[in-house]
Every structure is written in structure tokens, then in C-alpha cells.
Amino acid sequence: MGADTAKSQMALPRIGVHLLGELGGEADTCLQGLLSQGFTADRAALPAEEAATAEKQDILAVTGRYRPELHTPTHLSRLVGAQRDRTILFLSHMDPESFALFEQAGFSFINVTTDQTVKSLVGLIAQVDPNAVYQASKTAAMRASMSTEIANTVVDLFSRLRADPVAPKLAESHQQRRAMSALIGQSPMSVWIELIQNYHDGTAQHCSLVSGYTLAFARVLGAGNQQTGRLFDAAFFHDVGKAMIPLEILDKPGRLDPAEWEIMQRHVLHSHDILIRDEHTCGEIARVARDHHEYLDGSGYPNGITAPQIDDITRIITICDIFAALTEKRAYKPAKPFDEAYSILKSMAGTKLDPDLVRLFEKVAAECDGRLGRAATAA
Ligand SMILES: [Fe+2]
Ligand SMILES: [Fe+2]
């Protein structure tokens, strides 16, 4: 490809893919597949009045089982308007007569298949506009390289802390925190969780996952930039003290005995000690790290403090921390599904966790599941 062509493709406006289909059907599966492959995509439920969010460069795809009462040439023509030549009819079980009627109505990308895979949809998108696939592949490649870079540096931070808790300058990871925040910001939660699950070091993976949930929660809570930054930092560093816990305990495939559990609990004090002496992190982060296993009813550790002594930022990190612990894979346990993990949070609301915050967290849990179908923003 010549430099001029590459330049002109770089300047192209971002092409979105709008899926029109029934809730919980093939459209949802296709949406998750497209988002994970770097497409900017969303889904609207049929019957819709208009494909209101579509820009002129966007591509529309009607998915699901063909239903004669819903997928009429008249209705779909009105719905997609002038974008008929950028509309894919990706429907199963359509009879040849109906197929002919759509052709007569000017639809040229019609695919009738009972096997509605993301792969075949991407093939159709490539026929409508190869640039959409080109843009998606660039986004996916960028995410993968950012993810690898962040993973390496976060794992490195923990290895260095393990070797010498005094030597590493935590402020050096400031850039990584910013990069991670950008990565999470431009990926849907479900995609980003997949990236993080490729991390090798359990604690680095966990701190990254808690940071992601915290960022999503900050968005739901309407936190401003400064507040979001404070929350993100508190999440990113909350378990740094685990670098001081022997790996045999951290990675033990099974329940810890009382002596091991006592050692494990010390990680909050190690975190506090590391963070409090770092000139670039403020006392708040150290305090959150110390208190993130405390519960409102006083049943937590290390000090058994109760509701009046537990501030909002700590309550937020505690919720994100528990949700991460439940939904991450470990050598000794599989990841719990998001809805099951949220039910566990709900069972702790009021006694151990802040009930209002747990209620608001439902949006984050739903977003992780892809149930909200939040569109990915352009890279
Ligand atoms: Fe912890
Ligand atoms: Fe944690």
C-alpha cells in the first residue's frame, strides 16, 4: 500500500456498524464478536422506528431469524433510508420469494444462512466497505500491543517490589496507569476483561481488573476527572503489599490454613507501609489500601473498624475488589459469571457493603456482561 493511500485511509471518518435485531438473539452475539475484533458497533432492537444514530459512512446489518411481519421491504426501506446500499440483510430462513422482493427494493447485500457467525458477517462488511475491516484490525492491533506493554510493566512492578520493597519508585508506573486508563476507556468492558485475563502474574492481573471495574464504576457514579484519578490510583495500588506475601501462599491451590491466612491478611499493612513512604502517592491511597478489607459491621480486617470510620472511596474500592476476586480466574478456581458475582455482592449489602453503592454497581456488572451493549468509542 502506498503512503498516500495509507494517509487517505487514516483520514477516513470512523465507520460504525449498527446491528438491528432482537434482544438476546444473534445480534447480541454478533455485537460482542464485532467489538472484540475492534469494530465500533452497537445494537438496536427491532422493531425500530429509525436507525437514528447512523452516520452516512456507517453500515447497517439486520440480523436474526427472518420474520415476514417484521422484516418487510417497506419497513426496512423506511428504516435505513438512503443507506440501503450500506445495509446487510443477514437473516436466516428467508424464502426465495421474499429474497426477490428485497432485491427489487434495492437491497444488494442479502445473506440467508442458518449459520450466522461473526466471521461471515465480517466477510459481508468487507464487501460493503473494506475500510471498516481495515479500521477494526488497526484498533484490535493497537489494543493488543497496549495490553501487552501494560501487562509487562505491571508484572515487572510486582517482581521488583518482591525483590526489594524500597527500591521501585511507584511514581514510575504513573505512565502505565494513564495508558491503562486510556485502554479501558476505548474498549468495552467485556473486551478489556478478556485482555486482562491474559496476564500471567495473578496480583498484577487482579490490580488491573480492580482498576478497570473502578473506572467503570466512577463513570456510573458521575465522578469528575480528578475524583476518577484518585479512585483509579487507589484501585491500582490497593494490593501492592501482596508482593511481600510468599508465592506459596498467594498461589496455594486450596484453602489457607489459619497460620497462612494470618500471613495473607498482613498484605494490607504491607501495602500501607509501601505507599505511605512513597513521596509521590498521597496518604489517602495508603489508607484505602489498609482498609479495603474492612466491612461496615466491623467483621473485616485489619482493625475491625465500622461504618462511620470507612469513607466512600474505600467503600467503592472494596466493592470493586470483591467483584474482581469473584470474576477472575485463578489456578485454584474458575471465574464466576458476572450475574452470580453480583448476587453475592447483593447478599453482602447493608451488613458488610454500602447498599446504595452495591445497587449502583449493578450497571457495571451488566456492562461487563455486555448486556448494556455499550458502543465502543472510536480509537
Ligand atoms: Fe486485598
Ligand atoms: Fe484486592
Side-chain angles (χ1 to χ4, degrees):
M1 184 188 298
D4 287 348
T5 319
K7 209 171 163 187
S8 69
Q9 283 186 333
M10 293 285 282
L12 277 173
R14 184 81 187 172
I15 301 165
V17 180
H18 301 280
L19 298 161
L20 296 159
E22 286 176 89
L23 190 69
E26 286 81 358
D28 284 358
T29 314
C30 289
L31 176 66
Q32 289 310 311
L34 291 180
L35 291 174
S36 68
Q37 290 186 35
F39 285 88
T40 300
D42 63 15
R43 185 190 61 70
L46 274 181
E49 282 314 306
E50 54 179 356
T53 52
E55 301 286 338
K56 69 178 189 320
Q57 75 275 8
D58 289 348
I59 295 169
L60 296 117
V62 185
T63 65
R65 190 186 171 95
Y66 170 62
R67 285 169 53 197
E69 75 287 2
L70 187 65
H71 301 119
T72 66
T74 318
H75 176 59
L76 292 185
S77 298
R78 200 179 62 236
L79 193 65
V80 305
Q83 276 161 295
R84 205 170 314 183
D85 61 345
R86 296 181 75 79
T87 297
I88 298 162
L89 299 184
F90 191 49
L91 293 162
S92 63
H93 301 93
M94 193 195 292
D95 54 276
E97 291 78 18
S98 304
F99 191 102
L101 285 176
F102 278 111
E103 274 192 324
Q104 280 167 24
F107 289 92
S108 42
F109 299 102
I110 310 173
N111 185 281
V112 179
T113 174
T114 49
D115 184 27
Q116 295 185 338
T117 61
V118 178
K119 194 175 167 201
S120 28
L121 180 57
V122 171
L124 291 162
I125 292 170
Q127 285 177 34
V128 178
D129 191 339
N131 281 315
V133 180
Y134 171 76
Q135 288 178 346
S137 64
K138 295 274 282 184
T139 303
M142 189 196 68
R143 272 190 205 148
S145 70
M146 274 176 82
S147 171
T148 308
E149 193 190 318
I150 291 168
N152 289 341
T153 44
V154 178
V155 170
D156 179 57
L157 173 68
F158 279 93
S159 315
R160 285 158 66 208
L161 276 169
R162 218 162 262 143
D164 180 356
V166 181
K169 281 267 172 278
L170 296 177
E172 282 170 22
S173 57
H174 179 71
Q175 218 178 340
Q176 248 40 60
R177 285 172 4 237
R178 282 222 316 255
M180 185 185 291
S181 175
L183 177 66
I184 301 164
Q186 57 93 39
S187 305
M189 283 299 286
S190 51
V191 171
W192 179 76
I193 289 164
E194 260 175 53
L195 294 174
I196 295 303
Q197 285 183 336
N198 293 326
Y199 278 27
H200 298 301
D201 183 290
T203 308
Q205 179 198 47
H206 170 74
C207 288
S208 307
L209 197 57
V210 177
S211 303
Y213 289 150
T214 301
L215 201 64
F217 200 15
R219 229 184 273 132
V220 169
L221 296 170
N225 277 350
Q226 210 191 353
Q227 225 179 353
T228 301
R230 281 167 55 200
L231 282 165
F232 192 85
D233 285 354
F236 189 86
F237 290 121
H238 80 283
D239 265 343
V240 287
K242 280 198 184 160
M244 307 297 108
I245 305 298
L247 288 174
E248 321 71 274
I249 293 182
L250 285 179
D251 294 332
K252 185 177 174 183
R255 285 187 89 81
L256 299 180
D257 66 32
E260 291 165 335
W261 179 232
E262 203 263 310
I263 294 171
M264 180 64 130
Q265 288 187 330
R266 285 187 213 154
H267 79 276
V268 293
L269 300 172
H270 293 310
S271 296
H272 181 268
D273 290 351
I274 292 168
L275 295 168
I276 204 76
R277 66 178 169 227
D278 187 89
E279 62 200 51
H280 296 284
T281 55
C282 67
E284 179 180 67
I285 297 169
R287 190 167 39 73
V288 175
R290 185 194 61 206
D291 295 344
H292 74 274
H293 286 288
E294 298 285 8
Y295 291 136
L296 301 187
D297 62 3
S299 62
Y301 65 88
N303 295 312
I305 56 173
T306 56
Q309 295 156 284
I310 304 174
D311 61 14
D312 286 346
I313 184 164
T314 307
R315 293 175 189 214
I316 290 168
I317 300 301
T318 301
I319 289 171
C320 296
D321 182 39
I322 296 172
F323 195 69
L326 292 169
T327 57
E328 67 200 7
K329 289 181 221 160
R330 287 284 169 87
Y332 53 87
K333 71 160 191 78
K336 277 203 192 308
F338 298 108
D339 54 350
E340 204 181 316
Y342 183 67
S343 297
I344 293 173
L345 282 187
K346 273 208 294 195
S347 72
M348 298 169 78
T351 48
K352 295 182 187 301
L353 304 176
D354 186 302
D356 294 330
L357 288 171
V358 169
R359 191 170 38 77
L360 290 164
F361 192 81
E362 186 170 12
K363 270 196 182 156
V364 179
E367 195 182 310
C368 294
D369 226 350
R371 276 183 278 143
L372 292 184
R374 190 173 68 85
T377 50

